[in-house]
Amino acid sequence: MFGLLFKILENQQLVISEKLKQHFFWYLNLACIPAYALSVLWSTYDLLFNAIGFVASVLQFISLVFLIKIMLQAFSQINYSFTSKLLLKFALISYTLKILSQILSAFPYFVEKSLALKPFFIIGYLHLFTLGFLSVFLFLIVSQLGKINLEKPTSKVGLIFFLSGIFITESLLFLQGFLFMLQVDAIKNYNFFLLIFSFLMVIGLLVIYINQFSRQPIIKKTL
């Protein structure tokens, strides 16, 4: 998806440093294989896996620094609508939080707490990546490719519902986990609130989907 985004930016004639893109590519890919160690920490107490996972997360953090530099160059030239900029910023913030979470997850203390509070921290982390980053980033890409139109007023309303649902449910997941970890009063009716605010995402997606069938033409863009 980053490759698609860079191709879209290139075809929009934005000048982005090739060196920055190469550094981002190499550091991110070098981290992929050793980052697997972070996924097995739940089944082993060997600190070697923590060390390998920590190195991988640091490599990904370095790639994140290059990504931020790339996006700063892009934002100084980009001519996106408010909606597209919102999607891009939302996705990048989610991705940044994902990388920072991986660094913390390499430490035994946070592994122990995450496993003990799996319904909150681990589920929250997975949703942060799949919903906050992947889904939002896909919306941006298909919008820029002209496959959907997010500039209609009703589509914007649907998008606000969708993003609000992600933000509120993520906040509930992590907040409830931290409250349990600190051994203070947890959120009452937590499951009910999580259900209600999750439904915001469903409503938002339905509004966006249905609105694509209106007669207003979609301006197609190509790679």
Side-chain angles (χ1 to χ4, degrees):
M1 289 200 298
F2 279 123
L4 279 172
L5 177 65
F6 292 158
K7 183 62 178 177
I8 290 171
L9 296 178
E10 177 185 304
N11 284 348
Q12 293 173 344
Q13 299 183 337
L14 272 63
V15 180
I16 306 294
S17 168
E18 288 297 325
K19 181 177 288 188
L20 287 177
K21 287 192 285 188
Q22 288 175 5
H23 285 325
F24 168 71
F25 173 83
W26 283 112
Y27 278 103
L28 184 62
N29 281 275
L30 282 172
C32 283
I33 294 177
Y36 176 72
L38 294 172
S39 299
V40 300
L41 293 179
W42 63 272
S43 62
T44 178
Y45 293 100
D46 193 335
L47 291 178
L48 176 61
F49 288 96
N50 293 85
I52 295 172
F54 179 74
V55 171
S57 61
V58 169
L59 288 174
Q60 289 198 349
F61 180 78
I62 295 173
S63 75
L64 174 65
V65 173
F66 287 112
L67 176 63
I68 291 173
K69 290 182 177 180
I70 290 169
M71 297 318 302
L72 287 175
Q73 285 189 358
F75 270 114
S76 65
Q77 310 168 60
I78 212 165
N79 190 28
Y80 281 180
S81 66
F82 173 81
T83 303
S84 294
K85 286 184 178 179
L86 175 63
L87 288 172
L88 183 56
K89 290 177 181 178
F90 195 101
L92 290 175
I93 290 173
S94 298
Y95 183 75
T96 300
L97 293 174
K98 177 255 186 190
I99 298 295
L100 295 177
S101 298
Q102 284 191 181
I103 295 176
L104 292 176
S105 69
F107 293 92
Y109 173 80
F110 290 103
V111 173
E112 180 183 348
K113 293 300 181 182
S114 296
L115 291 176
L117 298 168
K118 182 178 179 180
F120 312 108
F121 289 146
I122 294 181
I123 300 301
Y125 169 81
L126 293 174
H127 285 189
L128 175 67
F129 183 64
T130 55
L131 291 174
F133 172 65
L134 285 178
S135 298
V136 174
F137 208 54
L138 279 171
F139 263 127
L140 173 68
I141 288 176
V142 295
S143 173
Q144 289 301 308
L145 293 176
K147 302 302 180 181
I148 61 173
N149 189 341
L150 298 177
E151 299 304 323
K152 304 174 186 177
T154 45
S155 289
K156 291 180 180 179
V157 171
L159 193 61
I160 290 172
F161 271 73
F162 180 67
L163 296 180
S164 297
I166 295 174
F167 177 79
I168 297 173
T169 53
E170 283 295 304
S171 299
L172 284 171
L173 282 164
F174 283 103
L175 178 58
Q176 186 78 328
F178 279 116
L179 291 176
F180 276 121
M181 189 172 70
L182 297 173
Q183 297 183 342
V184 298
D185 292 338
I187 301 172
K188 295 180 180 179
N189 300 316
Y190 164 79
N191 290 329
F192 175 74
F193 288 131
L194 196 62
L195 174 65
I196 294 300
F197 290 114
S198 294
F199 197 59
L200 280 179
M201 290 183 275
V202 178
I203 296 173
L205 289 172
L206 286 174
V207 170
I208 293 171
Y209 177 73
I210 293 172
N211 198 46
Q212 301 309 307
F213 294 98
S214 64
R215 295 183 179 181
Q216 182 176 337
I218 298 176
I219 301 175
K220 293 186 178 181
K221 302 175 185 178
T222 61
L223 286 172

